[in-house]
Amino acid sequence: MPELERIPEEHIYRAYGIYLLSSQHRLIRRLKRIYEPSIHGNKAWRSSFLLMDYLLHHPIRQRARVMELGCGWGPGAVFCAKRFNAKVTGVDLDSNVFPYLEVIAALNDVKVASLEGNFNNLSTDCLGRAQLVIGSDICFWDSMVEPLLGVVRRALEGGVKRFVVSDPGRPTFYELADLCSKQPWQVTLREWYAVEPSRTTGEILEIQPGR
């Protein structure tokens, strides 16, 4: 039987070895008075836990360079920094999410760099600085499918070894997976589930160069 860990403060929870804050935590409430995310960057989305569980089963090497796209509060980024001692950059279109990312990173005693950017302006050189690119819930509008396909293409051209996206299973995500499968890449689409902080089901898309 696993050891019971008591969280010393309200509105803090733990999943996959990292601490996270709910939207009701006093620090988050204070941040919301100053920084109001505008593009769904208002919590840790459940697909993040799918990604964490997947990377536990398909790990990266220690101290790898990682980039999280559409990072929001950065649970995936913080997980990689904590679990794998990775050098991580969180990328988001909305700079108002970065104070939340900083709080979550500090809570877990890790550092995550931040970069304001969107799918269209991330260059091949910029993406190629990472060995792994990750994203959770980043393909929720029709308008995101083609730009995200372009990001995948430039990332692989830049030398990225793995590109991993988690999603609850939206039609737009499956459209992206289908488009990727038609490219000269190694593409794997898997059903997946996470058990922390509660059971979550969804999909994992992993893309690697070559066939």
Side-chain angles (χ1 to χ4, degrees):
M1 182 171 127
E3 182 181 354
L4 177 64
E5 180 178 10
R6 299 190 182 278
I7 305 298
E9 188 176 339
E10 286 187 322
H11 308 304
I12 297 180
Y13 62 101
R14 194 168 189 264
Y16 293 100
I18 66 170
Y19 291 102
L20 295 161
L21 303 179
S22 76
S23 60
Q24 296 303 310
H25 190 274
R26 56 186 175 83
L27 292 177
I28 299 300
R29 293 173 72 174
R30 288 177 189 172
L31 283 175
K32 284 183 176 179
R33 296 172 191 160
I34 307 171
Y35 305 98
E36 187 60 42
S38 59
I39 314 173
H40 304 299
N42 57 359
K43 64 178 181 179
W45 292 92
R46 295 174 69 86
S47 289
S48 298
F49 306 119
L50 295 174
L51 182 66
M52 294 176 198
D53 193 281
Y54 181 77
L55 290 177
L56 281 180
H57 289 83
H58 302 273
I60 60 176
R61 66 177 180 82
Q62 292 290 311
R63 295 180 292 281
R65 298 185 304 276
V66 179
M67 180 178 290
E68 182 178 18
L69 301 182
C71 65
W73 292 13
V78 170
F79 168 79
C80 287
K82 188 74 173 180
R83 177 74 182 189
F84 303 111
N85 195 26
K87 184 177 180 180
V88 189
T89 300
V91 180
D92 205 287
L93 175 63
D94 183 5
S95 62
N96 279 337
V97 303
F98 295 142
Y100 299 83
L101 169 61
E102 290 173 8
V103 166
I104 300 299
L107 179 65
N108 289 278
D109 195 28
V110 297
K111 292 184 178 180
V112 176
S114 58
L115 175 66
E116 185 177 353
N118 61 47
F119 293 160
N120 291 315
N121 66 15
L122 292 171
S123 68
T124 300
D125 288 343
C126 176
L127 291 161
R129 295 172 195 153
Q131 295 160 306
L132 167 69
V133 176
I134 59 174
S136 299
D137 276 308
I138 59 172
C139 195
F140 47 86
W141 290 333
D142 290 340
S143 59
M144 292 176 158
V145 176
E146 287 290 343
L148 187 50
L149 179 67
V151 172
V152 176
R153 180 177 291 111
R154 294 194 302 278
L156 297 183
E157 288 174 352
V160 170
K161 303 303 181 185
R162 299 173 65 190
F163 199 116
V164 182
V165 182
S166 60
D167 195 88
R170 295 184 178 88
T172 45
F173 171 81
Y174 289 124
E175 182 180 351
L176 173 66
D178 182 61
L179 289 172
C180 288
S181 70
K182 296 175 181 177
Q183 308 300 317
W185 306 327
Q186 297 181 57
V187 178
T188 306
L189 180 64
R190 294 181 172 96
E191 291 184 80
W192 207 262
Y193 72 91
V195 294
E196 300 178 32
S198 59
R199 186 177 174 90
T200 300
T201 60
E203 304 279 346
I204 297 286
L205 174 65
E206 175 157 358
I207 307 126
Q208 296 177 283
R211 278 191 185 271

